[in-house]
Amino acid sequence: MTLQELVLRAASLYLDRTAVCFDDGNSQPPVCCTYRALLSEASALSDFLRAHCDFGGIREIGLCCQPGINLPSWVLGILQVPAAYAPIDPDSPPSLSTYFMKKCDLKYLLVEKWQVNKFKSSHETVLNCDTVSVEHKDLVLFRLHWKNGEMNSVLGDRTEKYKVKNREDRARGENGTQGKECMDLRREGCLAYVLHTSGTTGTPKIVRVPHACILPNIQHFRSLFDITREDVLFLASPLTFDPSVVEIFVSLSSGACLLIVPTSVKVRPSTLADVLFSRHRVTVLQATPTLLRRFGSELIKSTVLSVHTSLRVLALGGEAFPSLTILQSWRAKGNRTQIFNIYGITEVSSWATFYRIPEESLNSTVKHESPVQLGTPLLGTAIEVRDKNGSPVLEGTGQVFLGGKNRVCFLDDEMTVPLGTMRATGDFVTVKDGELFFLGRKDSQIKRHGKRLNTALVQQVAEELGQVESCAVTWYNQEKLILFIVPKVDLVKDRIFKELQRHLPVHALPDDLVPIEALPFTCHGKVDVSKLNKIYLDYINSQPRNKLHGKEELWGKLKHLWKSVLCIPEDPEVTGKLPDNSVFLESGGDSLKAVWLLSEIEKLTGTAIPGLLEVILSSSILDVYNHIVEAVFTQEDLKANRSHTTKRKLSDAAPEEGSGEPACLESAWPLNHGSETNSVIALSRGSQVLSLGTGRLLTELGLCPPVCPLDLIPQTNTQVLKSISPSAPDGKLEKPPLSQQENPVLGPETMVLRERWRSDTGKCVDASPLLVIAAVEGKSSTTVYMGSHSHTVRAVDLYSGEMRWEQLLGDRIESSACVSKCGNFIIVGCYNGLIYVLKSNSGEKYWTFTTEDAVKSSPAVDPTTGLIYVGSHDQHAYALDIYEKKCVWKLKCEGALFSSPCVSLSPHRLYCATLGGILLAVNPAAGSTVWKRACGKPLFSSPRCCQRHVCIGCVDGSLLCFTHSGEQVWRFSAGGPIFSSPCISASEQIVFGSHDCFVYCCSMEGHLRWKFETTARVYATPFAFRKHLRSSDTLLAAASTDGKLWVLESRSGELRSVYELPGEVFSSPVVWESMLVIGCRNNYIYCLDLLCGDTNIQV
């Protein structure tokens, strides 16, 4: 049975009844068509398509049109070919529709005649569209030709790919689908339609839906809602949203009438209510709660759910269901509308469960605190709740998994799917007494003030307040909880906050409350979070800047902001007792929160305050206050404050560390740095690979001498260091076994990460690993060097995890180390303002150099001269000759240097970035400025360069690209601040993370290739590595601050594996062979094996 067969069966009984009605909401009478006309138009289109389309394989036809009287006949006509329809929203961003068409490999596309010019102009840079035939009535058929063979490079031959995969599955036996009955995409007539997910949780997924999957929904809802030919159903959903399939085919398979209105009417609540319930007497409405809320409580009560309403059935889904208290307030006394909670996901199209709200619950006067249950599975649907380990949950909290024997869809490039496959939803529920209660999506579960919070709770409580018409909650930049309110009457913020305080715990109170006229919603009828965030940004920028009335008011408000950003409770008993010497970083702050505090202070004062970020990061609240006073108040006001402004001094350093003079240490190492006695490969964050010494190791790896950015070293190599491999220590874990015959091939579903070893440093590890592969006298060793907040640097054997040495320094270490040109020394910066040069084989201090403030910048080595470049919070960049133990030059940089310098070999340049927002190009030999550019906001990201360009991320969310001569080439905007440094791969992809939780991949032209959403902010720099020696395929390792490690396909951003560490992560991963090394804020350095297949084979 197919969807079109359901309609044909009903239409034969009701040929002369009205099938579709279109009302444009004006004074003109509606346009209607009968079932006879519907079938005639559909058959004519089917004949046209069969005559002009040459299908070579899977039959999919795009349909780009607006809602109209012909929409159902066009859908039916495509299905009767038979082919699957792939709807394209003419108003969606061209990049999204282009991605969808490419990913589907669409060859044919029907475009509504009056949309043709818009379609051509929107896609002319990507597509060559040649009209295959003359127009067919109101449609034009295009054959799509992808430029430059783009489809082959992006997608390849899906059929051949999966023939290979199926052979591999059969060979693996138990790991494949042997013995399991599968649904096959290639079976003629299998597919009904093709959609894509919204992309709000990462790269949009392509979802191909078989007739067998969606039919049970249609059949069950016809029975559940008792649909007859007398009913009128409203097409509330756009064609790109799968509930539209239910609306269209429940109506047309029952002889009922389908009402369609233009999008412009849907956004005018009073007009829409008039069209639905006065003109057409709609009886069945399926909608999102947001779409219903847009009517407003008064109109809902007087029209939608009035005592005399035509509406028999109201089914709400797609978002969290309103509370019973809200539902009760919406219903007029005597209303008899049946109200259903329906739940589902696009990946198991369309709905999965239903629950009819009992009449007694709707009429009850008792306040209901708990959410409405999800209810019973629909026909053919299976539902499971599992914990994070995949075990069933009978009582308690877990994630929902959906499926069923025939309730399976094909995601992205899947060609076969085992019947009964269960899909993870990302939605969490509580199971209580066998009933499921929706908690929210995983991204609505946040941690605030140290406690877990479901943002839906805040919305539910706020919506029940008398002044609130409707509302929405966002977790703005993962920093602020913002409540948006559509008020019934004039909004009084203080009154609403007091009401919220009565009903919400302290950690759930919103940071700000924003009045809006109406909730913005997407084309799918859901709350548009991105538009809400833009509304909030405009709102805070439009707020009047109140002049501060003196320094006492500034001091009080500064302390309030300090406590707010650091989540220090505002206890009335201790108000004002915040110590004057309270240091931001020692009170739970970090660089992310420092930027937030800076923004709040600048909003408070109404002016930009140069140098303030550096003071926040390095000094006390009193120093911050004095710095603001100097910038904001008049010179007369400053006289009394001059004496209080302090400059950080480092006179408390140990005697041997107190100057730039060398420490008096006897050296057992050869100091003839020109002899190049060692061969060294050094790997550091962002896929930076340096070949130092003779370069013999790179030659053995089959690689040429690198250019910046350095080519990727294959991470699985059977021959690497074959003649100089070290023997493993007795009783220790040996070097991971590698295949001696051929390199292992990864399957997307089989890659895992497994802990190999961990090393306890005693305090947080925010620094990133330095891996040094050294060859001395025919033997090699691989060592991990990392510092931590425990004031120590340690050297750990990569393979065994055995600590080789540990050295105590003068303060905590966030700087990542670099290796000297000769390989004999490790250089690292420290919070006490010193730069330490340590012997790489023993950790002994060889030399220290003193700056005037903390050194968080990671040093960089110049492989041509051996000079070490490093920045300091004292606003200077330094060039150090560690062999002569002297500073070669010192450059003032107009701001503290947090990020690491970047060395370009051609042209020979040094790039430095400051917290003052300045990017400088420096002559490495002379220390003179070649050029500088103001980027507008602080630069925490380190610059990275390639042959043509230098790129850097900015706190304003921009990724900036410059030529080596300083000309800005392009600017790419992410959705949040960028602290991550760009990782530029050998294929010239730029990958970086953002505060908006996404990992982004751009081309060197600044165009987005893909983005992947993680579960928290991405502070770390990604690392690109090849799967194996002879492969050009690249993987990416990335980390989010919630402790999750993500392994992605470099080309597509597809998730290959995820692993969760038991602490926050600000360290960046580094990968060598089949091992990933990273630091964690639970005090440990971790080494993880990357495994595939049966988990005994390394990547």
Side-chain angles (χ1 to χ4, degrees):
M1 180 66 71
T2 62
L3 292 174
Q4 62 268 28
E5 288 170 348
L6 281 180
V7 176
L8 288 171
R9 181 186 297 175
S12 64
L13 302 175
Y14 308 111
L15 286 173
D16 296 317
R17 289 189 65 85
T18 299
V20 185
C21 191
F22 179 77
D23 194 325
D24 62 10
N26 57 27
S27 57
Q28 299 297 318
V31 180
C32 298
C33 85
T34 63
Y35 277 89
R36 188 187 304 276
L38 173 73
L39 294 184
S40 175
E41 290 293 326
S43 297
L45 178 58
S46 299
D47 293 340
F48 170 79
L49 292 172
R50 292 190 196 103
H52 295 94
C53 294
D54 180 19
F55 296 105
I58 299 167
R59 298 184 173 190
E60 297 169 350
I61 299 175
L63 177 59
C64 180
C65 66
Q66 296 283 6
I69 186 67
N70 293 316
L71 184 150
S73 65
W74 292 342
V75 168
L76 197 59
I78 295 172
L79 289 174
Q80 287 179 175
V81 169
Y85 69 93
I88 295 164
D89 183 355
D91 297 324
S92 71
S95 59
L96 180 60
S97 53
T98 298
Y99 172 85
F100 176 60
M101 291 186 288
K102 281 184 184 179
K103 192 71 175 172
C104 293
D105 196 7
L106 279 183
K107 292 184 176 64
Y108 296 100
L109 173 66
L110 288 167
V111 181
E112 201 169 11
K113 189 187 298 182
W114 36 88
Q115 298 290 335
V116 167
N117 290 337
K118 178 181 178 181
F119 177 81
K120 282 184 173 180
S121 63
S122 298
H123 300 84
E124 62 184 355
T125 60
V126 181
L127 304 171
N128 290 321
C129 304
D130 299 323
T131 306
V132 170
S133 176
V134 294
E135 301 168 0
H136 175 76
K137 299 185 178 179
D138 291 331
L139 292 171
V140 177
L141 178 66
F142 288 89
R143 182 182 178 105
L144 305 183
H145 299 277
W146 303 95
K147 284 186 178 180
N148 303 322
E150 193 169 16
M151 281 308 305
N152 290 333
S153 63
V154 173
L155 298 175
D157 187 333
R158 280 196 291 135
T159 303
E160 284 303 312
K161 173 182 175 182
Y162 276 86
K163 282 180 182 176
V164 173
K165 182 178 185 301
N166 288 341
R167 286 197 298 269
E168 291 172 354
D169 285 345
R170 286 193 295 272
R172 284 199 297 266
E174 69 275 11
N175 293 330
T177 58
Q178 187 177 28
K180 294 182 181 178
E181 188 179 358
C182 291
M183 193 170 291
D184 195 323
L185 179 67
R186 294 157 293 194
R187 183 175 58 80
E188 184 175 348
C190 172
L191 289 185
Y193 53 94
V194 186
L195 300 174
H196 62 79
T197 59
S198 63
T200 54
T201 56
T203 303
K205 290 196 285 281
I206 305 301
V207 183
R208 292 177 166 85
V209 184
H211 288 275
C213 179
I214 189 61
L215 275 171
N217 263 205
I218 308 301
Q219 295 164 334
H220 198 156
F221 279 122
R222 284 178 59 195
S223 171
L224 184 66
F225 298 159
D226 194 21
I227 307 296
T228 71
R229 64 181 188 176
E230 305 300 330
D231 280 305
V232 180
L233 285 79
F234 174 50
L235 182 60
S237 308
L239 209 57
T240 53
F241 191 28
D242 52 339
S244 64
V245 183
V246 174
E247 293 160 352
I248 293 171
F249 288 96
V250 165
S251 178
L252 299 183
S253 65
S254 306
C257 175
L258 181 69
L259 174 64
I260 302 176
V261 303
T263 304
S264 59
V265 172
K266 290 182 183 178
V267 298
R268 290 158 27 212
S270 57
T271 302
L272 181 61
D274 179 62
V275 170
L276 297 188
F277 303 108
S278 297
R279 297 193 202 178
H280 296 280
R281 305 290 291 169
V282 165
T283 60
V284 178
L285 174 62
Q286 174 191 261
T288 61
T290 293
L291 184 64
L292 183 65
R293 286 185 176 102
R294 286 183 63 85
F295 286 115
S297 57
E298 186 175 328
L299 197 55
I300 294 175
K301 197 166 188 175
S302 64
T303 305
V304 183
L305 296 177
S306 68
V307 64
H308 299 299
T309 184
S310 59
L311 193 63
R312 289 195 307 106
V313 173
L314 173 63
L316 297 176
E319 294 175 307
F321 195 78
S323 69
L324 281 176
T325 302
I326 293 298
L327 282 180
Q328 291 164 349
S329 70
W330 285 345
R331 292 179 83 232
K333 187 176 181 181
N335 172 265
R336 305 294 295 175
T337 302
Q338 300 175 43
I339 301 178
F340 291 84
N341 178 16
I342 52 178
Y343 165 77
I345 59 170
T346 300
E347 291 89 333
V348 187
S349 189
S350 165
W351 300 112
T353 67
F354 75 95
Y355 178 71
R356 179 181 173 183
I357 314 301
E359 192 68 26
E360 54 269 25
S361 296
L362 291 171
N363 294 328
S364 172
T365 58
V366 178
K367 183 177 175 64
H368 296 270
E369 299 290 347
S370 61
V372 174
Q373 61 205 65
L374 292 186
T376 306
L378 284 161
L379 181 66
T381 305
I383 182 167
E384 296 176 5
V385 181
R386 302 176 186 172
D387 62 20
K388 63 182 181 181
N389 298 318
S391 301
V393 174
L394 302 180
E395 288 285 325
T397 301
Q399 183 180 182
V400 177
F401 284 72
L402 296 176
K405 181 179 179 182
N406 290 308
R407 299 277 285 122
V408 292
C409 301
F410 303 92
L411 304 187
D412 290 329
D413 292 333
E414 291 177 344
M415 299 288 282
T416 61
V417 179
L419 299 183
T421 294
M422 303 295 289
R423 302 286 192 187
T425 64
D427 294 325
F428 287 82
V429 296
T430 292
V431 183
K432 185 177 180 181
D433 298 328
E435 300 291 349
L436 275 56
F437 296 90
F438 186 72
L439 292 177
R441 288 200 55 77
K442 59 185 177 185
D443 46 11
S444 69
Q445 311 291 312
I446 67 173
K447 192 168 185 179
R448 188 164 182 258
H449 301 337
K451 297 184 179 180
R452 289 285 174 189
L453 171 65
N454 184 355
T455 56
L457 169 68
V458 183
Q459 178 174 333
Q460 178 182 327
V461 170
E463 198 170 40
E464 294 178 2
L465 301 181
Q467 297 182 60
V468 178
E469 181 69 70
S470 57
C471 65
V473 176
T474 67
W475 184 222
Y476 182 76
N477 273 350
Q478 287 206 314
E479 291 172 345
K480 291 184 175 182
L481 192 66
I482 310 300
L483 175 62
F484 297 85
I485 286 181
V486 180
K488 290 180 180 177
V489 293
D490 290 340
L491 187 68
V492 181
K493 277 191 175 184
D494 289 345
R495 188 181 304 168
I496 288 185
F497 271 119
K498 285 181 180 177
E499 285 294 312
L500 292 173
Q501 284 177 322
R502 290 174 52 197
H503 298 95
L504 290 172
V506 173
H507 71 277
L509 291 172
D511 294 298
D512 207 347
L513 191 154
V514 181
I516 54 177
E517 293 184 2
L519 289 175
F521 63 97
T522 66
C523 63
H524 292 176
K526 300 181 181 182
V527 171
D528 192 326
V529 175
S530 63
K531 285 186 179 178
L532 285 177
N533 286 336
K534 186 178 185 305
I535 288 171
Y536 180 66
L537 185 61
D538 294 341
Y539 170 78
I540 58 179
N541 288 335
S542 66
Q543 293 303 292
R545 307 301 187 189
N546 297 322
K547 181 174 175 62
L548 288 165
H549 301 292
K551 291 171 284 185
E552 286 189 8
E553 182 182 358
L554 168 64
W555 180 242
K557 290 188 174 181
L558 175 61
K559 288 193 291 185
H560 173 76
L561 289 176
W562 191 277
K563 291 179 180 179
S564 176
V565 170
L566 294 174
C567 302
I568 299 172
E570 285 281 5
D571 189 339
E573 296 182 5
V574 296
T575 297
K577 293 186 179 180
L578 186 70
D580 292 354
N581 61 354
S582 174
V583 177
F584 190 78
L585 291 177
E586 295 174 3
S587 304
D590 55 38
S591 52
L592 306 177
K593 292 178 179 177
V595 173
W596 178 14
L597 179 60
L598 172 67
S599 175
E600 293 297 320
I601 291 172
E602 291 185 341
K603 280 187 284 181
L604 172 67
T605 61
T607 184
I609 304 175
L612 180 58
L613 185 61
E614 294 97 311
V615 180
I616 294 171
L617 286 166
S618 62
S619 305
S620 69
I621 186 172
L622 182 60
D623 294 325
V624 172
Y625 164 74
N626 287 328
H627 189 91
I628 299 169
V629 166
E630 285 197 26
V632 173
F633 291 96
T634 63
Q635 292 299 314
E636 288 76 15
D637 292 331
L638 296 178
K639 293 177 180 177
N641 291 283
R642 296 281 185 196
S643 59
H644 296 294
T645 305
T646 58
K647 174 70 176 175
R648 175 172 178 158
K649 297 188 182 298
L650 298 170
S651 57
D652 56 344
E656 67 176 18
E657 301 171 348
S659 71
E661 296 300 318
C664 298
L665 294 171
E666 184 179 352
S667 174
W669 277 69
L671 297 181
N672 180 8
H673 52 276
S675 64
E676 295 191 350
T677 55
N678 296 338
S679 296
V680 170
I681 294 174
L683 292 90
S684 55
R685 60 182 179 172
S687 301
Q688 296 182 94
V689 183
L690 281 174
S691 170
L692 303 170
T694 65
R696 175 162 54 86
L697 294 186
L698 281 184
T699 303
E700 290 193 21
L701 287 169
L703 296 179
C704 298
V707 259
C708 205
L710 300 164
D711 287 345
L712 297 174
I713 291 181
Q715 299 301 309
T716 298
N717 179 12
T718 61
Q719 301 300 318
V720 63
L721 307 176
K722 59 183 177 181
S723 63
I724 50 176
S725 297
S727 57
D730 292 339
K732 299 297 182 182
L733 188 62
E734 295 183 357
K735 184 176 178 178
L738 300 174
S739 169
Q740 298 302 310
Q741 297 178 358
E742 66 177 298
N743 295 295
V745 179
L746 281 177
E749 73 288 351
T750 58
M751 187 173 180
V752 295
L753 295 167
R754 185 177 67 191
E755 183 180 318
R756 182 177 182 83
W757 54 258
R758 68 173 81 176
S759 182
D760 187 0
T761 70
K763 283 195 176 179
C764 298
V765 186
D766 284 343
S768 299
L770 168 69
L771 269 64
V772 177
I773 303 96
V776 182
E777 297 177 355
K779 292 187 177 181
S780 77
S781 65
T782 304
T783 308
V784 179
Y785 299 95
M786 288 187 80
S788 76
H789 288 204
S790 64
H791 304 190
T792 61
V793 176
R794 61 173 51 193
V796 182
D797 181 85
L798 174 65
Y799 299 111
S800 67
E802 180 181 7
M803 187 171 72
R804 291 180 170 162
W805 56 256
E806 185 175 60
Q807 178 61 265
L808 179 66
L809 306 186
D811 206 333
R812 71 178 181 179
I813 302 146
E814 289 185 3
S815 166
S816 302
C818 82
V819 66
S820 63
K821 182 183 179 182
C822 64
N824 293 334
F825 304 106
I826 298 299
I827 303 93
V828 67
C830 185
Y831 259 58
N832 63 357
L834 271 61
I835 298 159
Y836 290 83
V837 182
L838 308 176
K839 295 181 180 180
S840 57
N841 70 336
S842 65
E844 286 184 73
K845 296 174 186 174
Y846 169 68
W847 182 50
T848 58
F849 177 81
T850 304
T851 73
E852 293 299 317
D853 209 335
V855 180
K856 304 175 189 177
S857 169
S858 300
V861 63
D862 190 326
T864 59
T865 65
L867 291 180
I868 302 296
Y869 306 111
V870 67
S872 169
H873 266 56
D874 67 5
Q875 303 194 16
H876 289 89
Y878 296 86
L880 305 179
D881 185 334
I882 63 172
Y883 306 106
E884 299 295 333
K885 299 180 181 177
K886 67 179 183 180
C887 177
V888 177
W889 54 255
K890 171 182 178 181
L891 177 66
K892 181 85 170 183
C893 294
E894 300 183 35
L897 284 87
F898 176 92
S899 67
S900 304
C902 175
V903 180
S904 169
L905 301 183
S906 180
H908 195 201
R909 293 269 169 80
L910 177 71
Y911 292 102
C912 300
T914 77
L915 297 184
I918 304 295
L919 175 65
L920 300 97
V922 180
N923 181 324
S928 57
T929 301
V930 179
W931 54 261
K932 63 181 178 180
R933 295 292 178 266
C935 300
K937 288 289 183 181
L939 300 173
F940 283 88
S941 171
S942 299
R944 292 287 181 263
C945 52
C946 62
Q947 289 178 329
R948 294 176 296 155
H949 301 131
V950 57
C951 300
I952 191 167
C954 184
V955 163
D956 67 359
S958 299
L959 181 72
L960 301 164
C961 178
F962 299 90
T963 65
H964 286 292
S965 59
E967 298 172 1
Q968 184 173 317
V969 183
W970 48 260
R971 175 190 293 259
F972 175 87
S973 295
I978 300 173
F979 291 83
S980 167
S981 302
C983 169
I984 304 180
S985 69
S987 58
E988 294 206 329
Q989 286 191 145
I990 307 171
V991 187
F992 63 96
S994 171
H995 199 23
D996 65 358
C997 307
F998 281 93
V999 176
Y1000 290 87
C1001 178
C1002 294
S1003 67
M1004 286 306 299
E1005 290 72 41
H1007 302 307
L1008 178 68
R1009 288 187 173 174
W1010 53 261
K1011 64 178 184 177
F1012 175 84
E1013 186 172 21
T1014 70
T1015 51
R1017 299 171 297 193
V1018 182
Y1019 184 97
T1021 299
F1023 193 97
F1025 58 101
R1026 287 185 191 160
K1027 293 179 184 177
H1028 53 81
L1029 179 62
R1030 290 180 293 277
S1031 172
S1032 60
D1033 294 334
T1034 307
L1035 299 176
L1036 287 166
S1040 49
T1041 54
D1042 61 354
K1044 289 194 177 70
L1045 305 179
W1046 311 84
V1047 179
L1048 310 174
E1049 287 280 359
S1050 175
R1051 176 174 287 184
S1052 64
E1054 179 184 357
L1055 179 64
R1056 294 290 302 275
S1057 187
V1058 62
Y1059 184 92
E1060 186 168 5
L1061 294 174
E1064 290 185 308
V1065 170
F1066 286 77
S1067 172
S1068 300
V1070 172
V1071 179
W1072 172 247
E1073 292 184 344
S1074 59
M1075 289 163 286
L1076 181 152
V1077 183
I1078 195 167
C1080 183
R1081 282 197 162 180
N1082 73 335
N1083 308 343
Y1084 283 86
I1085 303 167
Y1086 283 88
C1087 179
L1088 306 172
D1089 284 325
L1090 292 95
L1091 305 168
C1092 65
D1094 62 0
T1095 74
N1096 289 316
I1097 301 175
Q1098 271 69 27
V1099 174

